[in-house]
Amino acid sequence: MVNCKQFISNNGAEAKLVQQDCISGMREHLIEGSVDVVVTSPPYNLGISYNGYDDTSSREDYLNWMNNWATEVRRVLSDRGSLFLNVGSKPTDPLVPFQLLEVMLRHFKLQNVIHWVKSIAIMKSEVGNYPGITQDVVVGHYKPINSKRFLNDCHEYIFHLTNHGDVSLDRLSVGVPYQDKTNVERWSSGGSGLHCRGNTWFIPYETIQSRDKERPHPATFPVALPSRCITLHGPKNVKLVMDPFLGIGSSAIACADMGINFIGFEITEDYWTESCERVERAMEL
Ligand SMILES: C[S@@+](CC[C@H](N)C(=O)[O-])C[C@H]1O[C@@H](n2cnc3c(N)ncnc32)[C@H](O)[C@@H]1O
């Protein structure tokens, strides 16, 4: 049985959350070229313990399955659309993102590689007299690992994939202010005072404490991640956003906040139910 709920927010945005396998879901619910932005994070085949999904397939089976859903995403993505694919790894298996990328390149062009930085250390002695940095700064969330061989894993990839590799982006919409205001004139940013943020995005988890306590899902991304991807693509060009691996609905919440229509698929009932509750709460705000 397919569970499906539709929500409409005060700002007029619709969210359709479907408990269904994403491949059959995309076939049933979406016509060719109807999605402008896909933001998603599939299971990484790293043995994460999900309720209702086995993350321990052989690598070959996993990559074949990736190819199958990528084929459907290619069909539903509009010609000038963007797919933002978030993939992480683990120290003992660092190749997954690259193997997955190789599969995606059968269908898409790689337009940008973004590093989602979860934790960063900035030493005062290394930056010198930099405005605002008055002491060593260590910010963000990471899972400490006990190893002499591996480093703590503080980042994941966001591969920005498009049909032809030439989609215009709204870079300044996620831009950052010039630290040295004299650069505003020198590098001319149209008077906005902003410059391109670049491809290293520091996005910490929202509420680290409560996430650790509650953990309704073992592998979420923060709502700020899909928000930033959609903003970079340019919301005025977006009629529909899709997440084939909805989880507990982070992409859907981003769209509810931004007043953008959304559709997402999640195979596990518990996560789908949680996503419905979270989206409903977000829409009430
Ligand atoms: C990495 S998580 C996504 C988490 C999501 N980004 C969030 O922030 O909540 C991947 C999700 O894909 C779901 N999943 C696995 N196979 C699926 C399938 N065939 N169709 C739809 N969802 C699936 C898993 O249950 C899991 O919740």
Side-chain angles (χ1 to χ4, degrees), residues 20-23 41-44 50-51 53 65 217 219-221 243-250 265-268 271 278:
Q20 186 176 8
D21 166 70
C22 63
I23 297 177
S41 176
Y44 301 162
Y50 293 103
N51 293 343
Y53 168 79
W65 175 58
H217 190 287
T220 58
F221 49 47
D243 187 344
F245 300 101
L246 178 67
I248 56 170
S250 309
F265 304 95
E266 169 56 51
I267 206 157
T268 301
Y271 301 149
R278 290 179 82 211

Side-chain angles (χ1 to χ4, degrees), residues 103-116:
V103 171
M104 303 312 285
L105 293 180
R106 295 180 202 158
H107 306 275
F108 303 99
K109 294 270 190 300
L110 179 61
Q111 186 166 326
N112 286 286
V113 176
I114 298 162
H115 298 265
W116 167 23

Side-chain angles (χ1 to χ4, degrees), residues 51-170:
N51 293 343
Y53 168 79
D54 178 8
D55 197 34
T56 61
S57 309
S58 71
R59 189 55 49 91
E60 193 185 354
D61 286 353
Y62 172 73
L63 294 174
N64 284 337
W65 175 58
M66 291 286 124
N67 187 56
N68 294 344
W69 67 257
T71 305
E72 275 311 303
V73 172
R74 177 72 174 89
R75 182 184 69 80
V76 303
L77 190 68
S78 67
D79 192 48
R80 309 304 295 162
S82 285
L83 161 58
F84 293 92
L85 179 67
N86 161 229
V87 201
S89 61
K90 62 180 179 184
T92 50
D93 194 352
L95 278 181
V96 192
F98 307 106
Q99 293 172 323
L100 181 47
L101 180 59
E102 210 163 31
V103 171
M104 303 312 285
L105 293 180
R106 295 180 202 158
H107 306 275
F108 303 99
K109 294 270 190 300
L110 179 61
Q111 186 166 326
N112 286 286
V113 176
I114 298 162
H115 298 265
W116 167 23
V117 177
K118 300 175 179 183
S119 168
I120 185 108
I122 302 170
M123 299 296 105
K124 164 90 181 107
S125 58
E126 287 165 1
V127 295
N129 281 332
Y130 212 78
I133 308 273
T134 54
Q135 58 185 42
D136 294 346
V137 181
V138 182
V139 275
H141 172 83
Y142 66 91
K143 272 194 222 142
I145 54 166
N146 193 3
S147 168
K148 289 200 166 181
R149 185 175 160 199
F150 298 119
L151 300 173
N152 286 334
D153 194 11
C154 302
H155 86 122
E156 296 194 11
Y157 294 93
I158 304 170
F159 297 126
H160 174 223
L161 298 147
T162 57
N163 288 337
H164 313 289
D166 62 354
V167 168
S168 295
L169 299 171
D170 193 353

